[in-house]
């Protein structure tokens, strides 16, 4: 009686070539799945970054538009608010100041600023109205 007939054919307890091939395919499939997941994650990250960039650009444009509207409104408000002051200056200050500057040009004093100040003080329309 031989051992082969009693125990059967000898077995190699390591993996068979088919099992080795199957393990290789399984590992390769896992690697491909991992690469696919990484690529998908990278694409998702790029898409999210692009979306965030677009949202930031939209917010920046909205902020610029809002600031432009505020500046236009402020300019308009200043135009309205400066009218009374402009009218006052044109009616009361500019005529007297122009006369004083003409006097400075005609007389050419050594200290024109002091001369103009004295001239304006002497020719103050409000002081003349109070004296009369």
């Amino acid at each position: 009686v031989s051992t082969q007939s009693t125990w059967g054919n000898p077995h190699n307890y390591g993996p068979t070539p088919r099992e080795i091939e199957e393990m290789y395919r399984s590992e390769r499939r896992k690697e491909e799945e991992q690469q696919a997941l990484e690529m998908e994650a990278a694409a998702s990250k790029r898409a999210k970054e692009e979306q965030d960039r677009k949202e930031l650009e939209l917010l920046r444009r909205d902020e610029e538009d809002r600031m432009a509207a505020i500046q236009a409104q402020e300019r308009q408000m200043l135009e309205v608010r400066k009218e009374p002051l402009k009218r006052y200056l044109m009616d009361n200050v500019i005529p007297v100041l122009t006369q004083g500057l003409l006097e400075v040009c005609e007389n050419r004093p050594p200290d024109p600023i002091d001369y103009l100040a004295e001239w304006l003080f002497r020719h103050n329309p409000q002081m003349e109205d109070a004296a009369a």
Side-chain angles (χ1 to χ4, degrees):
V1 178
S2 74
T3 45
Q4 189 173 9
S5 62
T6 310
W7 296 99
N9 290 331
H11 293 287
N12 182 0
Y13 290 102
T16 64
R18 181 186 286 164
E19 291 173 335
I20 293 173
E21 181 68 25
E22 188 61 37
M23 287 184 346
Y24 173 76
R25 286 182 186 161
S26 175
E27 286 295 320
R28 186 77 181 133
R29 204 173 322 126
K30 286 180 184 177
E31 289 174 3
E32 288 173 357
E33 288 174 359
Q34 183 65 28
Q35 286 177 348
L37 287 174
E38 288 173 359
M39 289 175 62
E40 184 179 323
S44 174
K45 183 179 178 182
R46 283 192 301 272
K48 175 84 169 109
E49 288 173 351
E50 182 66 21
Q51 181 182 5
D52 289 347
R53 187 188 63 75
K54 287 179 181 179
E55 287 176 5
L56 284 175
E57 182 67 22
L58 183 62
L59 288 173
R60 185 187 61 78
R61 286 182 189 158
D62 288 346
E63 182 66 17
E64 286 177 355
D65 292 345
R66 188 179 69 82
M67 290 303 293
I70 288 172
Q71 288 175 348
Q73 186 179 20
E74 285 178 348
R75 269 189 245 110
Q76 183 181 12
M77 186 175 64
L78 286 175
E79 288 293 323
V80 169
R81 291 179 70 194
K82 79 176 184 180
E83 272 307 310
L85 179 60
K86 184 177 176 182
R87 200 172 326 113
Y88 172 80
L89 290 173
M90 293 302 286
D91 293 344
N92 299 316
V93 176
I94 299 296
V96 175
L97 184 59
T98 303
Q99 288 176 355
L101 289 172
L102 288 173
E103 285 287 325
V104 169
C105 290
E106 288 174 5
N107 294 331
R108 296 191 178 260
D111 187 4
I113 295 173
D114 190 43
Y115 182 86
L116 179 62
E118 289 294 325
W119 190 92
L120 288 172
F121 185 71
R122 280 180 290 163
H123 294 88
N124 184 351
Q126 290 180 350
M127 296 296 259
E128 291 173 0
D129 291 343

